Amino acid sequence: METIKTEIKENKMGTAPVGGLIAGMAVPAMFSMMVQALYNIVDSFFVAKISQEALTAVSLAFPIQALLVAFGVGTGVGINSLVSRRLGEGRRKEANSAATHGLLLGLVNWALFALFGLFFARQFIEGFSTDPTVIEDGTRFVQIVSIFSFGVFVEINVEKTLQATGNMIYPMVFQLIGALTSLILDPIFIFGWFGVPAMGVPGAAIANVLAQCIAMCVSLTVLMKKKHEIEVNFRGFRLDFKIIRDIYAVGIPTIIMQSIASVMVMGMNLILVRFTDTAVALFGIYFKLQSFVFMPVFGLMQGMMPILGYNYGAKKQPRMVQAIRIGLVVSALIMAAGVLLFWVMPARLLLIFEASPEMVQIGVPALQIISLCFVPAAVGITFSTVFQALGKGIYSLAISLLRQMIVLLPAAHLLAHISLNSVWYAFPIAEIFSLAASLLLFRHVYRGCIRTMPESSSAATVRLAADVRDQ
């Protein structure tokens, strides 16, 4: 009986009440995501005080930052999914190996972006602007965040590895350290405080990478020095391409899914620049503002994914269904609050960024129209997380392609022939199509993988032990 009790306590993701478990795991991630969203806004707030050209330069550089994060988060999600499933199946040695491989994959991602920053940063910015100031600032910004990106890649993989074990506190601490350090360093390097020379837009990039490196050092210290349910050990390590394949079975679709946002922003910039540079800057501001709505939902999903993956591996179907229901309700409520915010005070939101009268005029209807897609997006994001947790990353990719490329960009291109205001309707139009697709795919996954899920022997043992304990 003592053995059974030990197994019950082995991991809270398989035994704790689901509602409280999601709250305990998601709230730290949601809080850290909110801080990250605040950083995104404050970062642009400081840059906007330099000039609108500076804000445009950062807006044009944003797709590269988003692409960089896409590779980091995509690889991290693949690690998270594999580690949580292997822990749920009781295959701890494979979980440890997946975590060890994760650190190496982070360095591979860094090498790719360092090469891009060295050789292609200027060509990228020149593809969107002819303004010498915008080109110079944008090029230097992209170079710095790309060449020194090793901090963010390593930190994200450590963060996702620990989340896979059910530990959400340390990942929250890592993200808070990075975001708060950036908030402190931004004005120092941008405006030249405390004897530091004023660097303008490149100063924002330097503050960014320094904060990432500090967060990386803290995360590695915690990973190596503290006791966790997984162990990273390079002694006797041998590269296992099967593990890499399993990581990227979820990771590659997630990378593509995350990268779609970069492609979408680049495509929208090409459409908007035909109207005015102000429209491009406005779209950059929108992305900063919407992160304050979407980031808490992504934090919720971070808390849900290891729960879903673990209970899928442990064959505990009722717990999975309950977690999905909670995720849908909470994410929809967060998005509804975002819609209310964008409709009640759009002008005030824009004025945070020193918006000109022209930007306010075109920005108010833009924020209101685009926000109509928020609540349907909550469903798509939740189901995408379910697909990733089950190792079906290709389904998540399909939803994201519909939301941000296949429907959105063609619709925006066609609506641009009518007016600038019409372009913004492409967002709710695309969300309606992706909502329908996500419901159909989830029904397929539910019928094929969740509803018919057999109970594993380990799950049966824990259930029996719980019955004995209750008696």
Side-chain angles (χ1 to χ4, degrees):
M1 187 61 63
E2 187 64 34
T3 303
I4 291 177
K5 288 183 179 180
T6 300
E7 185 173 356
I8 292 173
K9 297 178 181 179
E10 183 176 349
N11 195 298
K12 62 182 179 181
M13 291 188 291
T15 58
V18 175
L21 182 63
I22 290 178
M25 293 182 63
V27 168
M30 293 170 72
F31 177 71
S32 59
M33 284 291 198
M34 288 289 285
V35 173
Q36 183 62 47
L38 178 62
Y39 161 70
N40 289 337
I41 291 175
V42 174
D43 184 49
S44 292
F45 169 79
F46 288 133
V47 171
K49 287 189 173 297
I50 302 172
S51 66
Q52 185 165 306
E53 288 79 12
L55 185 60
T56 302
V58 173
S59 296
L60 291 177
F62 173 78
I64 299 303
Q65 284 185 290
L67 191 63
L68 189 151
V69 172
F71 272 74
V73 171
T75 302
V77 166
I79 297 165
N80 183 304
S81 178
L82 182 59
V83 170
S84 62
R85 280 183 282 133
R86 293 297 178 262
L87 287 175
E89 295 162 354
R91 297 157 67 178
R92 191 176 302 275
K93 184 177 179 181
E94 291 184 33
N96 291 340
S97 184
T100 305
H101 278 76
L103 291 183
L104 294 178
L105 294 174
L107 295 177
V108 172
N109 287 335
W110 161 65
L112 292 174
F113 277 88
L115 290 172
F116 175 85
L118 284 169
F119 299 109
F120 302 105
R122 183 170 294 275
Q123 292 91 319
F124 175 80
I125 298 297
E126 287 177 341
F128 296 91
S129 178
T130 57
D131 186 311
T133 302
V134 171
I135 291 173
E136 186 61 29
D137 281 345
T139 298
R140 293 172 68 189
F141 190 95
V142 170
Q143 286 175 334
I144 293 168
V145 299
S146 299
I147 295 171
F148 299 98
S149 59
F150 55 87
V152 68
F153 283 123
V154 174
E155 187 276 324
I156 286 175
N157 285 0
V158 175
E159 173 190 318
K160 297 300 182 185
T161 297
L162 294 180
Q163 285 177 350
T165 70
N167 187 328
M168 305 301 291
I169 300 300
Y170 280 132
M172 178 189 71
V173 171
F174 306 154
Q175 292 185 30
L176 286 176
I177 288 172
L180 293 176
T181 304
S182 292
L183 287 172
I184 294 170
L185 295 181
D186 253 346
I188 294 175
F189 285 94
I190 291 173
F191 304 119
W193 294 357
F194 308 114
V196 176
M199 302 180 193
V201 171
I206 293 172
N208 197 318
V209 298
L210 281 176
Q212 292 167 357
C213 289
I214 292 171
M216 176 195 70
C217 291
V218 174
S219 69
L220 287 175
T221 300
V222 169
L223 181 67
M224 299 300 181
K225 299 297 184 180
K226 300 291 184 179
K227 186 174 179 60
H228 310 288
E229 200 164 339
I230 51 90
E231 180 182 353
V232 173
N233 191 347
F234 288 97
R235 185 176 300 171
F237 173 79
R238 294 182 62 181
L239 203 62
D240 188 333
F241 287 99
K242 181 180 181 300
I243 289 176
I244 295 175
R245 183 196 67 191
D246 290 342
I247 288 173
Y248 280 111
V250 172
I252 287 178
T254 305
I255 288 171
I256 297 172
M257 182 175 64
Q258 296 273 336
S259 300
I260 291 167
S262 299
V263 177
M264 183 271 287
V265 171
M266 287 187 279
M268 287 298 297
N269 284 343
L270 288 173
I271 293 170
L272 295 173
V273 77
R274 290 183 288 174
F275 291 97
T276 170
D277 283 349
T278 302
V280 175
L282 166 67
F283 193 59
I285 288 175
Y286 159 73
F287 254 86
K288 303 292 184 178
L289 291 171
Q290 63 92 31
S291 68
F292 218 74
V293 180
F294 279 75
M295 284 294 192
V297 175
F298 292 145
L300 173 65
M301 296 302 119
Q302 282 187 16
M304 278 182 54
M305 181 177 289
I307 297 171
L308 293 169
Y310 185 95
N311 286 285
Y312 180 64
K315 304 295 188 291
K316 296 185 177 183
Q317 185 254 21
R319 294 176 62 80
M320 288 192 65
V321 172
Q322 187 178 357
I324 294 168
R325 287 174 178 167
I326 293 172
L328 285 169
V329 171
V330 176
S331 61
L333 289 174
I334 293 172
M335 291 296 199
V339 176
L340 182 63
L341 180 67
F342 274 51
W343 273 82
V344 170
M345 50 188 302
R348 291 184 182 180
L349 294 174
L350 292 170
L351 290 173
I352 295 173
F353 303 94
E354 309 288 330
S356 64
E358 179 190 2
M359 183 177 288
V360 172
Q361 182 180 1
I362 66 175
V364 168
L367 295 185
Q368 292 177 332
I369 293 168
I370 297 176
S371 67
L372 296 174
C373 76
F374 287 179
V375 174
V379 179
I381 292 170
T382 302
F383 286 159
S384 289
T385 302
V386 175
F387 301 149
Q388 290 169 341
L390 272 58
K392 298 185 179 296
I394 194 68
Y395 289 177
S396 295
L397 173 60
I399 299 302
S400 290
L401 282 170
L402 280 174
R403 289 182 61 219
Q404 301 184 79
M405 278 189 64
I406 295 175
V407 178
L408 178 63
L409 290 180
H413 176 71
L414 292 174
L415 291 169
H417 291 88
I418 302 174
S419 67
L420 176 58
N421 274 351
S422 300
V423 172
W424 312 124
Y425 283 100
F427 287 87
I429 290 171
E431 211 61 63
I432 291 171
F433 280 90
S434 64
L435 174 62
S438 63
L439 290 171
L440 290 173
L441 286 173
F442 178 74
R443 185 177 68 172
H444 173 72
V445 168
Y446 180 79
R447 291 178 175 178
C449 300
I450 300 176
R451 187 175 64 183
T452 59
M453 184 186 297
E455 185 176 47
S456 68
S457 58
S458 60
T461 301
V462 172
R463 179 174 53 78
L464 176 61
D467 292 341
V468 171
R469 179 196 61 197
D470 292 340
Q471 293 175 1

